[in-house]
Amino acid sequence: MPKDIAAWIHISENNAVTVFTGKVEMGQNIRTSLAQQVAEELHVPVASIAMIMGDTDRTPWDAGTFGSRTTPTMGPQLRAAAASARDLLVATAAQQWKVSPTALSAADGRITDSKSRQSITYGQLMHGQQLVKLIESAPPLTPVVDWKIAGTPVPKVDGRAFVTGRHKYSADLSHPDMLFGKVLRPSGFKATLTSLDTKAAESIPGVIVVHDGDFVAVAAADSATAERALRAIKAKWSVPPQPSNADLFSYLKDHVTASRRDEPHIVGSVDRALSDADVKLSQTYTVQYIAHAPLEPRAALAEWQGDKLTVYTGTQRPFAVRDELADAFHISSDKVRVLVPDTGSAYGGKHTGDAAVEAARIAKAAGKPVKLVWTREEEFTWAYFRPAGVIDIRSGAHKDGTIVAWEFHNYNSGPAGIGTPYNVANQKIEFHPVDSPLRQGSYRSLAAAANHFARESHMDELAHAVAMDSLDFRLKNLDDDRLRAVFQAAADKFGWRNRKPSATRGFGIAGGFEKGGYVATCAEVEIVGGQNVHIRRVVEAFDCGPVINPNGLRNQIMGGIVQGIGGALFEAIRFSNGRILNPYFSEYRVPRFADAPEIEIILMDRRDKPPMGAGETPLIGLAPAVGNAIFSATGIRLRSLPMVPNGLPSKRA
Amino acid sequence: MAPIVLLVNGTERRVEAASDESLLSVLRDRLQMTGTKYGCGEGQCGACTVLIDGRPVRSCLTLASQVAGRKITTIEGLEHDGKLHPVQEAFLHEEAFQCGYCTSGMIMSTVGFLASTPKPTEDEIKRHMDGNICRCGTYPRIVQAVARAAEMARKE
Amino acid sequence: MNNHIDHDLEQALIQHEVDGRLHWFELDRRDFFKMLGCGVVVCLCTRDALSQESGRGFW
């Protein structure tokens, strides 16, 4: 990351502050929370700050907006830059006025000498010149306990643009000479084009057909004509036989990639401990592929000017997409500019530049700017999925509730959150990468959702096996203070001790630690008509260190819980032979109003700890808490996500 | 291609459009009114909701030619002289959105709903709004925003 | 650019990797051969080798 202040912050003569960051806004509210942190350290009003985000020509290089990294890494970076800038401004004024810097104060965008009553705005002082200074190694940061702007519920800085429809997402942009592009999609994955007839499409006035290997696309001056041209193309594809949901889990276990195997985490001897254990359990958990289904589908507007390419697109990784475009067109990265308008969400699903590459390829052939917007069907089919996976657990415990053995194998879904926070003397934990039959990639919380589902469901099973309360069993095996604290806080607010399960009401608890955040989730479910599961109430306690913006944070946590309901209960990609069988919202069910429970959120606000991200971890406790609640009502243990795509199974596990 | 005259937010707009072209496509691609969003094209997500004669409809499933001469209201037509519509105010106040992509459709559905149901119960709100997807999961706040908007409208 | 990448970020990048590209253009292959001998090939191979190492079962 650049060390000079000027790369991050600029103050204009009229005292407007511009902040540059390669991070992007896609609903997680960092445009506001980062501005708050700069305002706090620079001593300016939030309203005076404009954030330039995700523009590869103007913002410092950034790996991308993922992994809950903005708050722990970009926040401190901007705070340090802003505090250093304030130091520079004070020093400059002191020099100008020939007084000691300690006699001056900086507030509300101006520097004041209380003795002489002289006062000057930052802008007047610097005349719009660059802030030439390196960021200090120990900048005078405001202690968290003294925060006045950070830590408060500042409203979303551009909220009005969203409620008026004025905000321009990638798909809303236009260019006077622009054409609309459409890509001809193969009839299945891994398809090769065997015959192509584009005559009818080419005969439509104004239509351009692009054919490059297996890539076939059209462009026209309006979207209706582009769609008509696409329908007029006759193509035949050859699609190789591929697996389906029916053989998915055996396929995953049979296709472990030998090339890359992480070393297993081994402590003690699981086998020896199991031979002494009073209670032994061995269970398998599975998770299906699911789709991010961001409401804004992938879109891009690409324009070539000579050999320079400019692309507007919604992506989490503008600099990686810049490099992807440079690679695809064999130009150097400095010939490519990627700009990311605030995006209609991503959830880990917009790491790649697929639409950007397609739009740029068509624009290159057409010699005009091209806008390309994926359809919902394309979004469900040609993006990538949250990995499916199989998780095998073997465990053992003593009658008194001490866990003595823990063996955990994850096939394909990923290693995030694979470890156990509980004290177990004998452990073997291993991730087994697999050649996935479907294109897969990151998804909000990565594999932590799957691994927590397996672990926290299994913990509930173990608690029942040793006849202990599920919360007491966890606390007995847990030393981590912060995790204990969220469990206690959630349980207290939920009324865990007073719960009264019945055949139609169930209560469950789960929790964990991931990406620096601690979460505990309690769920109450109602079994309706003996078949349907309704989540009635969720209480979640979350500790991500000090809270930067409680309003935005609550929104993120609530969203994580609601999104988690989909993967927990009903979301699954159905596929067969290289085709997605349910690529529509009518066939791929996502959580709706009726699915949202009453949600209570407890923010721990640990001001003595460093701030951590909150976009992902609040999601991971939901599925196991709900699964455990279903068991408490029905005695049915559900070990596959989604748990009730077609209602409760009738047979008891 | 044939000429159509649409009455959008009180203004007559003449456009050339294909006979099978959706109102959504005409609004977005021919009139550059991009506040109305594409989300699914099958009437499942509600992002494209507009009002036709005051009633919420899915513009992705509505042919532009069918609504010629009818009163079309889009998100761009709610604000008057810099003053937000009470429903917009309520969504802003509750911060009932995250990425904001569903927000135009949510607001238009709410405006149409409150016109016919000025005093909705929470259940009625959830039932009416169930055709709108917020993938960010902001539903509880949207319910609050709808209730708040209803209250504001009653006070006016 | 590698000096930007600390260990945490490197791990995060590996964990967040997405399975391969959707499109390989003919345009690529044509230009690919054109560029033989000017160092680009070495660079591309290195990229491929790295992504192999980080595995195919990306998550």
Side-chain angles (χ1 to χ4, degrees):
Chain A
M1 292 204 268
K3 292 186 168 56
D4 36 350
I5 298 170
W8 303 95
I9 296 173
H10 180 77
I11 302 173
S12 75
E13 191 144 20
N14 65 3
N15 226 19
V17 179
T18 309
V19 176
F20 303 90
T21 171
K23 297 293 179 201
V24 299
E25 172 65 54
M26 48 201 167
Q28 77 284 40
N29 207 37
I30 60 170
R31 182 176 288 283
T32 303
S33 66
L34 290 174
Q36 279 178 266
Q37 294 175 77
V38 171
E40 181 70 55
E41 301 295 354
L42 193 56
H43 297 186
V44 297
V46 172
S48 70
I49 297 175
M51 304 285 301
I52 305 292
M53 304 177 76
D55 175 345
T56 60
D57 270 14
R58 299 187 68 193
T59 63
W61 181 87
D62 188 87
T65 309
F66 57 85
S68 293
R69 293 177 53 82
T70 299
T71 299
T73 64
M74 187 52 65
Q77 175 69 28
L78 293 180
R79 284 177 65 198
S84 303
R86 173 167 47 91
D87 251 5
L88 169 65
L89 292 161
V90 169
T92 306
Q95 207 170 23
Q96 209 165 314
W97 292 339
K98 300 194 169 43
V99 294
S100 159
T102 53
L104 304 180
S105 64
D108 213 19
R110 51 170 59 236
I111 296 179
T112 306
D113 180 347
S114 54
K115 227 186 231 166
S116 68
R117 298 236 176 114
Q118 286 189 95
S119 178
I120 188 168
T121 69
Y122 297 168
Q124 289 161 346
L125 181 67
M126 297 306 297
H127 302 294
Q129 289 164 40
Q130 290 215 333
L131 300 165
V132 182
K133 191 189 163 196
L134 295 183
I135 296 170
E136 294 165 32
S137 56
L141 296 177
T142 310
V144 174
V145 288
D146 296 333
W147 278 358
K148 297 204 170 49
I149 303 172
T152 66
V154 169
K156 212 176 192 45
V157 288
D158 53 351
R160 206 179 162 101
F162 294 99
V163 300
T164 53
R166 265 201 291 274
H167 172 68
K168 299 275 186 207
Y169 297 88
S170 300
D172 300 334
L173 300 169
S174 60
H175 187 287
D177 304 325
M178 174 181 93
L179 302 180
F180 289 80
K182 297 293 289 177
V183 175
L184 181 74
R185 299 297 172 184
S187 59
F189 299 130
K190 301 175 180 159
T192 42
L193 188 59
T194 54
S195 81
L196 180 70
D197 177 357
T198 58
K199 274 195 228 75
E202 275 163 303
S203 71
I204 300 171
V207 167
I208 291 162
V209 175
V210 185
H211 177 203
D212 182 339
D214 287 336
F215 179 78
V216 182
V218 298
D222 64 274
S223 57
T225 305
E227 274 162 37
R228 189 151 62 93
L230 193 73
R231 285 196 298 269
I233 293 176
K234 292 188 189 71
K236 288 206 176 93
W237 304 88
S238 160
V239 183
Q242 291 165 62
S244 70
N245 299 84
D247 41 13
L248 172 61
F249 300 122
S250 57
Y251 182 97
L252 293 180
K253 288 193 81 164
D254 291 346
H255 289 77
V256 172
T257 42
S259 63
R260 177 177 162 268
R261 245 194 142 99
D262 291 355
E263 283 301 304
H265 167 76
I266 295 174
V267 185
S269 164
V270 167
D271 285 333
R272 205 174 329 122
L274 275 176
S275 64
D276 293 342
D278 298 327
V279 166
K280 289 167 224 169
L281 286 183
S282 174
Q283 291 297 355
T284 296
Y285 304 82
T286 61
V287 302
Q288 292 280 356
Y289 291 104
I290 61 176
H292 309 81
L295 206 57
E296 182 198 8
R298 255 146 262 253
L301 170 60
E303 182 187 11
W304 289 89
Q305 285 165 311
D307 64 346
K308 182 142 183 15
L309 173 63
T310 303
V311 183
Y312 291 82
T313 191
T315 177
Q316 295 174 247
R317 303 190 59 197
F319 287 87
V321 169
R322 178 192 67 178
D323 296 347
E324 191 180 335
L325 287 161
D327 262 9
F329 298 100
H330 298 295
I331 52 181
S332 69
S333 284
D334 59 15
K335 298 273 189 206
V336 184
R337 181 179 185 186
V338 172
L339 300 98
V340 181
D342 289 9
T343 296
S345 76
Y347 320 117
K350 289 179 179 168
H351 280 231
T352 54
D354 306 313
V357 170
E358 291 167 354
R361 182 65 191 87
I362 304 170
K364 195 172 175 68
K368 282 186 175 179
V370 166
K371 178 158 93 176
L372 182 99
V373 183
W374 280 21
T375 63
R376 180 54 53 189
E377 182 180 1
E378 288 177 302
E379 182 65 41
F380 265 120
T381 308
W382 297 100
Y384 53 90
F385 303 102
R386 193 278 307 268
V390 179
I391 295 166
D392 291 329
I393 304 180
R394 284 201 306 157
S395 67
H398 288 325
K399 259 186 269 179
D400 71 350
T402 309
I403 309 170
V404 295
W406 186 259
E407 183 168 346
F408 193 106
H409 296 272
N410 176 312
Y411 296 86
N412 189 59
S413 94
I418 199 171
T420 174
Y422 303 105
N423 297 325
V424 190
N426 302 283
Q427 299 185 15
K428 181 176 184 189
I429 294 170
E430 190 169 10
F431 167 57
H432 307 267
V434 172
D435 273 326
S436 167
L438 296 186
R439 189 185 186 207
Q440 62 184 24
S442 81
Y443 182 101
R444 195 174 193 176
S445 91
L446 298 175
N451 286 327
H452 277 72
F453 170 66
R455 189 189 74 225
E456 291 294 295
S457 298
H458 196 87
M459 288 294 288
D460 200 61
E461 296 186 56
L462 268 178
H464 281 93
V466 297
M468 274 183 80
D469 175 87
S470 200
L471 173 62
D472 291 339
F473 176 66
R474 284 177 171 81
L475 295 177
K476 182 181 174 67
N477 291 284
L478 189 61
D479 283 341
D480 188 313
D481 284 341
R482 293 175 77 181
L483 190 49
R484 290 180 68 93
V486 288
F487 267 123
Q488 292 285 8
D492 289 350
K493 178 128 194 177
F494 185 69
W496 177 257
R497 301 288 174 197
N498 305 319
R499 69 194 191 281
K500 294 187 177 60
S502 68
T504 57
R505 282 281 156 169
F507 303 84
I509 192 166
F513 159 69
E514 177 64 11
K515 306 252 161 55
Y518 298 79
V519 68
T521 310
C522 295
E524 175 180 340
V525 302
E526 182 183 357
I527 311 300
V528 180
Q531 231 232 321
N532 293 320
V533 175
H534 280 261
I535 306 171
R536 289 299 178 203
R537 184 170 170 240
V538 171
V539 175
E540 183 160 297
F542 185 55
D543 168 5
C544 56
V547 174
I548 312 282
N549 184 324
N551 187 34
L553 177 59
R554 285 177 186 278
N555 224 349
Q556 276 288 287
I557 296 172
M558 181 170 68
I561 291 168
V562 173
Q563 188 159 43
I565 291 171
L569 295 185
F570 37 71
E571 281 184 42
I573 282 291
R574 290 187 280 118
F575 66 100
S576 176
N577 255 327
R579 302 173 67 122
I580 300 303
L581 306 177
N582 57 340
Y584 309 103
F585 278 131
S586 52
E587 294 174 38
Y588 182 96
R589 183 177 165 195
V590 298
R592 289 176 181 269
F593 277 90
D595 299 306
E598 183 191 336
I599 296 171
E600 291 162 74
I601 294 160
I602 304 154
L603 303 180
M604 306 300 280
D605 199 15
R606 289 290 299 264
R607 297 196 156 203
D608 55 328
K609 302 286 182 190
M612 303 304 285
E616 308 186 82
T617 303
L619 178 150
I620 62 180
L622 192 275
V626 168
N628 297 341
I630 293 171
F631 180 82
S632 96
T634 65
I636 300 172
R637 179 62 68 182
L638 298 170
R639 300 188 184 89
S640 297
L641 295 184
M643 288 186 275
V644 287
N646 306 302
L648 276 174
S650 48
K651 258 175 45 190
R652 295 201 160 218
Chain B
M1 294 287 171
I4 315 176
V5 180
L6 296 176
L7 185 58
V8 187
N9 301 328
T11 306
E12 276 196 4
R13 306 291 299 262
R14 279 161 209 285
V15 283
E16 291 278 326
S19 58
D20 60 349
E21 205 167 330
S22 71
L23 175 60
L24 175 65
S25 157
V26 169
L27 286 172
R28 289 182 53 81
D29 299 341
R30 298 195 188 275
L31 297 175
Q32 275 74 51
M33 297 180 70
T34 54
T36 307
K37 306 300 180 196
Y38 166 84
C40 68
E42 49 164 347
Q44 283 286 325
C45 78
C48 68
T49 305
V50 299
L51 304 182
I52 305 291
D53 297 331
R55 294 246 269 283
V57 302
R58 306 295 187 231
S59 64
C60 72
L61 295 182
T62 306
L63 295 183
S65 54
Q66 280 176 327
V67 291
R70 313 260 303 266
K71 210 178 134 198
I72 302 165
T73 311
T74 70
I75 188 76
E76 290 92 346
L78 291 189
E79 191 183 359
H80 287 294
D81 304 325
K83 190 175 174 344
L84 296 180
H85 186 283
V87 175
Q88 292 173 308
E89 284 285 2
F91 271 70
L92 198 55
H93 185 271
E94 298 289 339
E95 210 158 281
F97 49 92
Q98 292 182 44
C99 79
Y101 196 80
C102 71
T103 308
S104 297
M106 290 286 179
I107 288 176
M108 297 315 290
S109 289
T110 305
V111 172
F113 169 55
L114 293 182
S116 60
T117 317
K119 283 181 167 182
T121 64
E122 191 178 318
D123 273 356
E124 283 173 328
I125 295 173
K126 286 184 177 177
R127 218 174 315 133
H128 174 84
M129 300 296 289
D130 213 45
N132 287 62
I133 292 172
C134 171
R135 189 61 171 144
C136 296
T138 321
Y139 300 122
R141 285 193 182 192
I142 297 172
V143 172
Q144 284 172 29
V146 175
R148 182 183 189 85
E151 209 173 294
M152 286 164 69
R154 284 203 298 276
K155 277 182 193 157
E156 269 188 6
Chain C
M1 219 152 282
N2 278 340
N3 57 344
H4 292 295
I5 300 178
D6 59 29
H7 177 74
D8 281 0
L9 177 55
E10 207 170 323
Q11 288 305 306
L13 280 168
I14 290 170
Q15 288 203 350
H16 284 83
E17 219 160 343
V18 176
D19 283 352
R21 266 161 71 165
L22 267 192
H23 303 294
W24 295 96
F25 300 128
E26 290 287 341
L27 180 85
D28 282 352
R29 285 164 222 169
R30 223 165 32 232
D31 290 2
F32 184 84
F33 288 115
K34 246 190 255 168
M35 280 192 242
L36 272 171
C38 62
V40 171
V41 170
V42 177
C43 161
L44 288 172
C45 290
T46 314
R47 289 180 76 93
D48 281 354
L50 281 173
S51 65
Q52 279 299 323
E53 209 170 282
S54 64
R56 288 256 311 119
F58 308 128
W59 52 89

